[in-house]
Amino acid sequence: MKRKPGIWKGRTTMEKIAILGAGNGGHAVAADLGRQGYETSIYSRSAATLEALTARGGVAYTGCFGEGFSPIKTITPNIEEAIDGARIIIITVPTIALTWYAHLLAPYLNESHTVMLNPGHTGGGLHFVQTLREAGNAKEVRTCETITLTYGCRIRGPALVWIPLAMTNLRLAAFPGKHLDALFPTIHTLFPNVVPGTNVLETGLTDLNAMEHPPGMLLNAAWIEHTKGNFRFYFDGVSPAVARVIQGMDDERMRILRALNERAGLDMRVMSFIEYFYEAGLTSRAALESGDMYQALQESEPNKPIQAPDSLDHRYVNEDVGFGLVPMVEIGRWVGIECPTTEALVRLACVMMKRDYWHEGLTLAKMGVDQVPVERVGEFLWEGHL
Amino acid sequence: MKRKPGIWKGRTTMEKIAILGAGNGGHAVAADLGRQGYETSIYSRSAATLEALTARGGVAYTGCFGEGFSPIKTITPNIEEAIDGARIIIITVPTIALTWYAHLLAPYLNESHTVMLNPGHTGGGLHFVQTLREAGNAKEVRTCETITLTYGCRIRGPALVWIPLAMTNLRLAAFPGKHLDALFPTIHTLFPNVVPGTNVLETGLTDLNAMEHPPGMLLNAAWIEHTKGNFRFYFDGVSPAVARVIQGMDDERMRILRALNERAGLDMRVMSFIEYFYEAGLTSRAALESGDMYQALQESEPNKPIQAPDSLDHRYVNEDVGFGLVPMVEIGRWVGIECPTTEALVRLACVMMKRDYWHEGLTLAKMGVDQVPVERVGEFLWEGHL
């Protein structure tokens, strides 16, 4: 199944692919694309993060792709060097860092670039483009995004990444949406696990991490703080009562999607958490058929062994509340759907972490849609502006 | 320190004291009053609950009053028999049961009775009187209440109660408030640990249980469900993040008190959780001086050994949310104070327990104050009506 470069339909020359961010996701993308024979560059704003990669000249991997080593042609903390000659730029950073990356890239991006946010989380792509524009970039940059990282993966040693699974049926949406048809074949060649999504709100509003992580963290706060996370996060940490909160949030999420479809004449799929979870290869057929949230989470074999974080000060709260739940509540407000359960978790997170996630998270203004009437959202998502 | 009956100032004959409810609190009150030489009756709506007491003719006790046995003259599931000849009636039941008791007592109570709710929780006394009125009782029954039970206590065997501590400086308020001066000496003779409170809102808005229990339960949901409560509830279960939620709720509670004082010209004490907690003998002087919620809860020696409940379906949620947090939020709304942290916990409790605590809990209407303008609340609390 090894793919050779240069076989993309309509292309005859190989293109360099730039990977920005050298955390778990950046390591995994470099490993996978290298494994497939692509030429890659990798950038990190922290030179220290790159040391091990530089020392080995690439990244080793284990997991669902077997064992191997992928060379990386350019390993650099210099953004110009990283993106030089690359028309495909894959950003694999926490969404909390996207503002910073948009400012970094604003001077360089233009209509020739395709930027993939891997992942974009909820509203991350809209926020990224809005920040580019605020930073003075008036070009129509083609962006696309998935809701979650294309792999389950963890760095396991110096320049060594473990990739236990590739997500399946992961929706990819573009902004402006009109570019999806042109983009999709390219991205699908790189990531055969993506399927086309309707628009970035459809993908953004399927944020499974935001549904799972904050309840698992906040509703087990003292357990995490007392034991430093010494329990299985998704298995022990999601009891029937916690699963009911996740279900409550999921009901609100689906109400928002339905209201958007109705008010804006859109045709986004309204799928439940359990349906997505099953589609992504994360739970059993029996759980899907039961429709029971607790069963779906208990029967997630890939998630089962994962330990809880050792502190609440973790991206499961800081990212998934501010860049998952806050934009969900904001979009809900926009379409007139109340989200009391989701709001309750945001509020508790603010009090527990002494942070104002309402302010630091993704508001409608940061996503660039506060002036967009809900009725015209379809046009906005397609054209990239009104 | 044993007190003899018949020594109350202005009284020359001994009066029978009726105790309604035969749970932890009923056992402890019967033990303590019996120990002091008073004649008591005890009522339970469940005959089975009374069997052990009947078999022994009273209740044995251990703890802060030493070891002993208190005879109980009348042990009965018949309310007429229980209150016959008693002018002092002490109700020691969960506030969730007060509606039922108000209906039970409505045909019998009149101006000659003093009813003590031990405890009344938040708004329980107002609710009790409002229910009496709705049940057709137009008499001016004298009621009084404490916010929490006058003892720490647990039934430890058949007709055996363990009373590790008597609360200290527990405020007692009357409704109508004008009767406090007349009531107080009598109640103080029975319970030397009470001090006079300003009114039932002052006592009602010092609900330490409502501040501690729901966060401890809901923010450790899976820990409780996974281990069946196998951790120390107040000690392990209140981590720094959980303490910050308690602090957030306490700030809201104090804002309500201040707003009531300002808008209604009242003079209720605005004391913090930590100050009450220290006054009640539940934490250290160092914690009081630090003003730190986490320290105050960690340094509560009486609470430290107490294990968590084995299930979320417990009065720490069902009573403390519906009859502690809901009336707090309602009173907040009444005076224009938002309580987002407290509301967040109520919302989560509703989702987790699949119950509508907003509906089943104490609303302004159930407390009989929904038609009372905030500016006239002082007059209402004093007179018992407008």
Side-chain angles (χ1 to χ4, degrees), chain B residues 52-363:
Chain B
L53 295 171
T54 305
R56 293 187 72 167
V59 59
Y61 58 89
T62 63
C64 65
F65 299 128
E67 294 201 10
F69 179 80
S70 295
I72 303 173
K73 188 157 185 202
T74 309
I75 302 169
T76 177
N78 179 311
I79 192 66
E80 293 194 42
E81 206 179 333
I83 63 172
D84 181 45
R87 293 205 293 176
I88 299 175
I89 296 170
I90 301 173
I91 304 183
T92 58
V93 299
T95 41
I96 217 159
L98 282 180
T99 311
W100 192 87
Y101 273 85
H103 282 283
L104 179 74
L105 289 168
Y108 307 109
L109 297 183
N110 58 47
E111 291 84 352
S112 76
H113 288 103
T114 294
V115 176
M116 178 192 187
L117 305 184
N118 185 356
H121 230 278
T122 301
L126 292 171
H127 178 214
F128 179 80
V129 172
Q130 174 66 12
T131 311
L132 281 182
R133 291 172 183 176
E134 285 168 8
N137 184 315
K139 310 287 167 54
E140 190 168 289
V141 181
R142 298 168 175 211
T143 70
C144 62
E145 62 186 301
T146 52
I147 186 63
T148 189
L149 194 57
T150 39
Y151 320 95
C153 57
R154 287 288 183 281
I155 293 170
R156 274 283 168 91
L160 171 66
V161 65
W162 171 58
I163 309 173
L165 86 159
M167 301 299 168
T168 54
N169 295 301
L170 196 56
R171 287 190 167 69
L172 181 87
F175 183 74
K178 63 186 174 187
H179 297 305
L180 183 67
D181 284 350
L183 285 174
F184 187 77
T186 302
I187 302 295
H188 186 257
T189 305
L190 302 178
F191 302 99
N193 48 342
V194 299
V195 297
T198 305
N199 60 49
V200 291
L201 284 180
E202 187 196 61
T203 55
L205 287 167
T206 61
D207 195 340
L208 304 191
N209 284 338
M211 300 282 118
E212 281 181 290
H213 292 162
M217 298 292 279
L218 304 175
L219 304 179
N220 292 309
W223 200 6
I224 288 174
E225 295 195 312
H226 184 73
T227 65
K228 307 255 178 248
N230 188 22
F231 61 91
R232 288 168 298 183
F233 183 69
Y234 298 94
F235 190 65
D236 306 326
V238 179
S239 66
V242 174
R244 285 193 286 274
V245 172
I246 297 173
Q247 184 64 59
M249 296 165 72
D250 202 43
D251 292 341
E252 293 171 357
R253 184 188 64 75
M254 286 191 286
R255 275 199 285 277
I256 294 173
L257 276 164
R258 278 188 214 104
L260 268 169
N261 275 347
E262 277 170 32
R263 292 191 49 190
L266 298 175
D267 191 27
M268 299 185 290
R269 268 160 296 222
V270 183
M271 279 170 69
S272 70
F273 178 100
I274 299 174
E275 288 166 328
Y276 276 111
F277 209 52
Y278 175 75
E279 248 200 7
L282 291 168
T283 195
S284 68
R285 176 97 207 162
L288 173 71
E289 283 163 6
S290 76
D292 183 77
M293 186 66 78
Y294 178 63
Q295 186 178 343
L297 291 157
Q298 288 291 297
E299 296 183 358
S300 176
E301 289 305 322
N303 280 349
K304 194 166 173 174
I306 298 173
Q307 286 289 103
D310 63 3
S311 152
L312 294 174
D313 190 13
H314 186 273
R315 68 183 169 84
Y316 284 5
V317 177
N318 297 326
E319 181 176 18
D320 287 308
V321 172
F323 295 81
L325 302 188
V326 168
M328 216 165 302
V329 173
E330 287 270 313
I331 294 168
R333 238 172 243 165
W334 193 31
V335 291
I337 298 295
E338 290 203 356
C339 300
T341 305
T342 312
E343 274 193 47
L345 281 165
V346 177
R347 172 62 192 173
L348 286 176
C350 292
V351 177
M352 286 168 132
M353 307 309 293
K354 291 196 155 196
R355 287 171 70 156
D356 186 351
Y357 293 104
W358 294 117
H359 180 76
E360 63 178 77
L362 279 195
T363 58

